[in-house]
């Protein structure tokens, strides 16, 4: 019998990004400055209101 592998649950990009920011000790503002995007765009990704692009 073959076992079908699938993820436990879907993971949103904001969840992964939040974990990375925490691990690096960065704020949303730090990250926004590093990538050259508005703070609002980073915040919307973290809140699940905007797709990561």
């Amino acid at each position: 019998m073959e076992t079908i592998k699938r993820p436990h649950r879907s993971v949103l990009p904001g969840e992964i990004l939040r974990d990375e920011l925490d691990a690096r000790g960065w704020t949303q503002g730090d990250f926004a400055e590093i990538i050259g995007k508005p703070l609002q765009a980073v915040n919307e990704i973290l809140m699940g209101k905007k797709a990561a692009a």
Side-chain angles (χ1 to χ4, degrees), residues 10-45:
S10 297
V11 179
L12 298 173
E15 291 181 61
I16 296 169
L17 180 56
R18 184 176 297 112
D19 290 345
E20 282 298 315
L21 293 178
D22 289 344
R24 296 169 189 264
W26 293 350
T27 66
Q28 292 179 30
D30 294 336
F31 185 64
E33 186 176 333
I34 290 165
I35 65 171
K37 298 291 182 182
L39 174 59
Q40 181 178 355
V42 172
N43 182 265
E44 288 175 354
I45 293 168

